[in-house]
């Protein structure tokens, strides 16, 4: 089922062309038969329910500025979570790893 509908969103009117899968088309036809509403009214009513909450959530997700990797790690509690880490670990990790491996190799010899 393909339908062209006109939805009112406050003062803005938007033409939407959509295609429904078989199950959704059947449900839409059932609702239409039970309510005698046209498809635009049914979809307006659906958007007035949970649909708007989801649209608003999606809109807000897109409107938020992207977080930097540091901000994401801070939000997750990963920055500063190792109590005994070297203070310069992020910039000198290679030398720290090399030293750790050398110490481990010497311990394994004994």
């Amino acid at each position: 089922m393909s339908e062209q509908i006109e939805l009112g969103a406050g003062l803005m009117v938007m033409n939407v062309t959509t295609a429904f899968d078989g199950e959704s088309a059947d449900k839409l036809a059932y609702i239409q038969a039970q309510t005698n509403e046209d498809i635009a009214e049914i979809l307006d009513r659906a958007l007035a329910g949970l649909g708007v909450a989801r649209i608003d959530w999606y809109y807000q997700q897109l409107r938020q500025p992207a977080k930097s990797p540091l901000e994401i790690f801070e939000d997750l509690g990963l920055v500063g979570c190792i109590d005994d880490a070297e203070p310069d670990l992020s910039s000198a990790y290679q030398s720290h790893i090399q030293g750790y491996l050398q110490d481990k190799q010497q311990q394994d010899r004994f």
Side-chain angles (χ1 to χ4, degrees), residues 19-83:
F20 295 96
D21 62 27
E23 183 179 349
S24 296
D26 290 344
K27 289 177 181 178
L28 188 58
Y30 176 83
I31 293 168
Q32 191 173 22
Q34 295 298 313
T35 63
N36 292 320
E37 295 177 330
D38 65 29
I39 293 173
E41 289 173 311
I42 295 168
L43 294 177
D44 266 342
R45 188 180 303 262
L47 287 173
L50 291 177
V52 170
R54 290 183 178 149
I55 289 170
D56 286 343
W57 175 84
Y58 189 44
Y59 175 79
Q60 289 302 323
Q61 294 299 310
L62 294 174
R63 295 279 304 186
Q64 291 178 0
K67 290 185 177 184
S68 70
L70 175 60
E71 290 171 320
I72 294 169
F73 288 146
E74 286 174 336
D75 290 348
L76 293 171
L78 296 175
V79 174
C81 66
I82 303 173
D83 293 331

Side-chain angles (χ1 to χ4, degrees), residues 1-8 13-20 28 32 38-44 47:
M1 170 185 219
S2 182
E3 193 71 37
Q4 186 165 0
I5 56 175
E6 192 170 290
L7 298 175
V13 174
M14 177 184 296
N15 285 324
V16 177
T17 301
T18 186
F20 295 96
L28 188 58
Q32 191 173 22
D38 65 29
I39 293 173
E41 289 173 311
I42 295 168
L43 294 177
D44 266 342
L47 287 173

